[in-house]
Amino acid sequence: MAAGAETFSLREVLVAFTACVSEQREVRVDPYLAGWKGLVRFLNCLGTIFSFISKDAVTKIEIIENYRNSDQREKYLTVQSMVEYELANGLVDLQKRSEHPDSGCRTFLRLHRALHWLQMFLEGLRTGEDNSKTSVICSETYNASLANYHPWIIRKAAGVAFCALPTRNTFLETMNVGTAEEAVAMLGEALPYICEVYKITEELYAQHKLLDLP
Ligand code: 1PX
């Protein structure tokens, strides 16, 4: 475990996702990115073997943050406004990555797919047996979700990294939310919010036929 792991709690990270959905059922970009940044910080505490994963996540977070810091920042306030703006202005490569290789829509889609994995992984952790292996929960949920979008070499590297994960109870304690039971209770509270964010985004992307963006 790297230094710094004991200084922050995953509760604060997951709370960011509770602030994502607006009254109009729109997904706010800032708390979404704040949630991912906290998760990446946690991932970095698990060891350097995960750096290739956190680096990719950071790259994607920064691409969207740059839009939020640009002159068009208001257009990127919510996922809904981002989709509307980028589609209306031809800023999304729909068939092949070319003129707009790092559109907000395609970049957000990568995080959205990862959120699906996160949702399943946290649910697996929450409902797993005391001494079940986090590595098994992680690889099963990865294979059922994100792996479908990754080439063989990434899947292989991810599989190797997962082996470094501690047992479920040690992992739950690493989250710094209190006892393993308290961590499980916190997951039960946070998961419905994460599921809601995922569901709203999935519906939006499906409606605009954006789920396969290159
Ligand atoms: C309480 C639990 C907290 C766990 C925190 C874990 C944070 C994980 C952050 C994962 C973010 C992954 C983003 C991946 C985005 C992606 O799919 N990128 C690929 C496609 O991008 P491209 O631009 O090429 O279209 C890219 O090829 C990915 C490269 C890096 C490998 C991604 C492996 C993802 C494995 C996810 C499982 C993380 C295991 C964490 C263990 C706790």
Side-chain angles (χ1 to χ4, degrees), residues 10 36 42-43 56 60 106 110 117 122 150 154 162:
L10 210 69
W36 275 114
F42 179 76
L43 187 63
D56 185 72
K60 290 177 170 53
R106 75 85 64 188
R110 271 56 188 176
W117 161 77
L122 296 183
H150 291 164
I154 296 281
F162 297 161

Side-chain angles (χ1 to χ4, degrees), residues 27-100:
V27 175
R28 296 190 180 102
V29 169
D30 291 347
Y32 191 94
L33 296 181
W36 275 114
K37 280 165 110 172
L39 289 168
V40 165
R41 211 175 136 206
F42 179 76
L43 187 63
N44 286 337
C45 293
L46 294 176
T48 50
I49 194 161
F50 297 98
S51 338
F52 75 104
I53 302 175
S54 55
K55 271 190 195 139
D56 185 72
V58 166
T59 302
K60 290 177 170 53
I61 292 166
E62 285 177 353
I63 290 171
I64 304 173
E65 270 186 339
N66 286 341
Y67 288 122
R68 281 292 293 139
N69 292 325
S70 73
D71 291 346
Q72 302 300 330
R73 62 178 69 86
E74 288 303 307
K75 308 285 194 309
Y76 290 85
L77 199 59
T78 68
V79 184
Q80 284 73 8
S81 59
M82 171 185 80
V83 166
E84 191 186 322
Y85 167 70
E86 289 198 342
L87 287 181
N89 291 280
L91 297 172
V92 186
D93 288 340
L94 297 170
Q95 307 296 340
K96 186 169 160 285
R97 266 183 113 185
S98 54
E99 277 173 65
H100 306 288

Side-chain angles (χ1 to χ4, degrees), residues 1 9 35 47 79 129 186 188 204:
M1 184 82 30
S9 156
V79 184
E129 301 280 323
M186 187 277 290
L204 177 76

